[in-house]
């Protein structure tokens, strides 16, 4: 009976450490994704940054992690981005320098190892 009891205690401790790891991981991801947005310039409207040619994570950061940014597969295959670090931006709409007020942003993306040329 002693060995069975130790197994139960070990299992409970092991489960607890997994739960703690998941909570810490989720907290770190939430802090990264919910970073405060940089306010618009006081001297004028916010302008579209140049994000074409950058990695998708850097592009999201430049766009203040705006959840309304639309992504289009540059290969035309309709793939969905599940891991932004594996993708890069080939083209953007609107062009850099365009005022962003009430504009939808669309980024044409491909996998990092792919060429932007079709």
């Amino acid at each position: 009976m002693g060995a069975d009891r130790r197994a139960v205690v070990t299992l409970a401790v092991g489960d607890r450490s997994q739960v703690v790891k998941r909570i810490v991981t989720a907290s770190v991801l939430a802090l990264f994704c919910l970073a405060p947005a940089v306010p618009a310039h006081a001297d004028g409207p916010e302008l579209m940054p140049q994000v074409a040619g950058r990695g998708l994570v850097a592009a999201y950061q430049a766009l203040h992690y705006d959840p309304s940014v639309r992504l289009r597969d540059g290969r035309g295959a309709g793939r969905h981005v599940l891991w932004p670090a594996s993708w890069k931006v080939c083209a953007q709409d609107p062009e850099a320098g365009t005022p962003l007020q009430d504009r939808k942003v669309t980024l044409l993306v491909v996998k990092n190892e792919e060429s932007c040329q079709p």
Side-chain angles (χ1 to χ4, degrees):
M1 277 207 222
D4 291 337
R5 187 173 182 181
R6 263 185 262 129
V8 170
V9 170
T10 302
L11 179 61
V13 171
D15 289 344
R16 187 174 303 140
S17 68
Q18 291 298 322
V19 170
V20 169
K21 286 179 186 176
R22 288 181 181 169
I23 290 171
V24 169
T25 301
S27 300
V28 169
L29 288 173
L31 288 173
F32 176 73
C33 291
L34 299 175
V38 177
H41 300 288
D43 56 343
E46 185 176 4
L47 302 178
M48 176 68 180
Q50 176 65 40
V51 296
R54 292 174 143 182
L56 186 52
V57 172
Y60 270 135
Q61 184 178 19
L63 293 165
H64 312 299
Y65 303 100
D66 184 351
S68 69
V69 172
R70 291 179 281 186
L71 303 176
R72 281 191 23 232
D73 181 3
R75 292 281 175 233
R79 298 176 295 181
H80 297 283
V81 173
L82 299 178
W83 189 253
S86 297
W87 295 75
K88 64 184 175 184
V89 180
C90 290
Q92 64 185 61
D93 182 46
E95 293 182 19
T98 303
L100 281 177
Q101 185 174 353
D102 300 325
R103 295 278 316 247
K104 294 290 183 186
V105 174
T106 302
L107 304 178
L108 190 68
V109 298
V110 296
K111 295 262 189 166
N112 286 334
E113 64 273 4
E114 298 173 344
S115 169
C116 285
Q117 305 304 319

